[in-house]
Amino acid sequence: MKAFIKYVAAELGLGRPGEDHPNICAGTDRYAMFKVGPVLSVSHGMGVPSIAIMLHELLKLLYHARCSGVTIIRIGTSGGIGLEPGSVVITRQAVDAQFRPEFEQMVLGRRVVRCTDLDARLVQELRACSADLRDFSTVVGNTMCTLDFYEGQGRLDGALCGYTERDKQAYLRAAHAAGVRNIEMESSVFAAMCSACGLRAAVVCVTLLDRLKGDQICSPHEVLAEYQQRPQRLVGHFIKKCLAGA
């Protein structure tokens, strides 16, 4: 997140070259937060519980700061389905492990289901920005959010595995047929909470591997480092265009 805020600062011409950007939330170890101009960059950890805690506290902060016209974009990494490594996915809908566009949570012992639709106009704006860059493949598709990295995503290399490669392939191909193009662990609660609060939100993730071809990431470190910059470049370009037109 600090790398992203440095990148945005350079793109927007804010601050001085080499200027440090301190962690606003240095007093807690739950997440880090950086700010430059009108842009906040916040880490959220791994999985639904971690990002949900951060979102509750971030949304309260934005409310008490009386922020308006807020757009929230999650950037990160994911496993692709039927995509070359390094492809960027702009999420149309976040779906669960049964390919349903919903997020289920137990509240006071009762099942609460929220929709996981993301802002369609924002998706198209980001897609237009990817066409401006033309440096890497970008697709719009559904993102499957799971509660687990191993069994929940059909991996064969975890400590527990009660299915076969054939079972895994059938499941991933069913996901692909349902419009799923990548898998991660945060998008459903992110989409649900932002939608419930009436905020424009999007998810932009790069794929590090094609899960139809294996479970292990095989690309060299320097290649992965460049892949991870791709969502930053796309979202940075989007922010720059938005502020230029403000």
Side-chain angles (χ1 to χ4, degrees):
M1 291 296 97
K2 188 168 186 176
F4 177 66
I5 212 68
K6 286 183 176 180
Y7 175 77
V8 169
E11 282 291 293
L12 301 181
L14 297 172
R16 299 180 300 275
E19 181 180 358
D20 188 37
H21 301 280
N23 176 12
I24 300 172
C25 295
T28 177
D29 59 2
R30 291 206 297 275
Y31 45 80
M33 180 185 295
F34 305 92
K35 183 180 184 298
V36 64
V39 181
L40 276 179
S41 177
V42 191
S43 64
H44 58 62
M46 185 182 295
V48 164
S50 180
I51 192 173
I53 292 169
M54 183 279 290
L55 283 171
H56 273 285
E57 297 175 4
L58 175 64
L59 294 175
K60 289 191 294 181
L61 172 67
L62 295 174
Y63 172 79
H64 288 295
R66 300 187 179 183
C67 295
S68 60
V70 174
T71 297
I72 303 182
I73 303 176
R74 164 172 141 66
I75 60 175
T77 59
S78 63
I81 302 181
L83 298 175
E84 287 297 314
S87 301
V88 172
V89 179
I90 303 169
T91 303
R92 178 183 291 110
Q93 281 185 319
V95 301
D96 65 13
Q98 293 180 301
F99 321 140
R100 300 172 301 189
E102 61 184 41
F103 172 68
E104 177 183 333
Q105 184 176 13
M106 297 301 293
V107 178
L108 300 179
R110 297 180 180 179
R111 179 175 178 265
V112 175
V113 177
R114 295 189 174 106
C115 76
T116 54
D117 289 340
L118 291 159
D119 190 282
R121 181 176 175 182
L122 180 55
V123 168
Q124 294 308 313
E125 291 173 7
L126 288 163
R127 189 173 196 171
C129 287
S130 72
D132 293 341
L133 297 176
R134 297 185 180 181
D135 291 339
F136 43 81
S137 175
T138 303
V139 302
V140 174
N142 292 343
T143 295
M144 182 165 70
C145 180
T146 68
L147 301 180
D148 169 58
F149 184 76
Y150 288 98
E151 291 181 289
Q153 297 187 12
R155 278 185 159 81
L156 300 170
D157 56 352
L160 299 173
C161 180
Y163 44 85
T164 66
E165 172 70 22
R166 184 175 180 179
D167 296 332
K168 175 190 118 175
Q169 288 291 331
Y171 178 67
L172 293 180
R173 292 186 186 281
H176 189 273
V180 175
R181 294 297 176 265
N182 64 333
I183 310 172
E184 45 86 273
M185 298 174 60
E186 294 85 21
S187 60
S188 61
V189 69
F190 173 82
M193 290 184 66
C194 289
S195 177
C197 293
L199 294 172
R200 287 210 327 157
V203 177
V204 180
C205 288
V206 68
T207 62
L208 300 183
L209 75 166
D210 182 356
R211 287 296 315 288
L212 292 173
K213 297 179 180 178
D215 297 335
Q216 295 287 339
I217 298 171
C218 300
S219 301
H221 174 76
E222 60 273 15
V223 173
L224 294 174
E226 192 279 323
Y227 285 170
Q228 292 182 59
Q229 292 174 6
R230 294 180 178 185
Q232 297 184 29
R233 288 161 59 194
L234 174 53
V235 174
H237 181 62
F238 167 78
I239 293 171
K240 190 173 183 179
K241 283 184 69 173
C242 286
L243 296 180

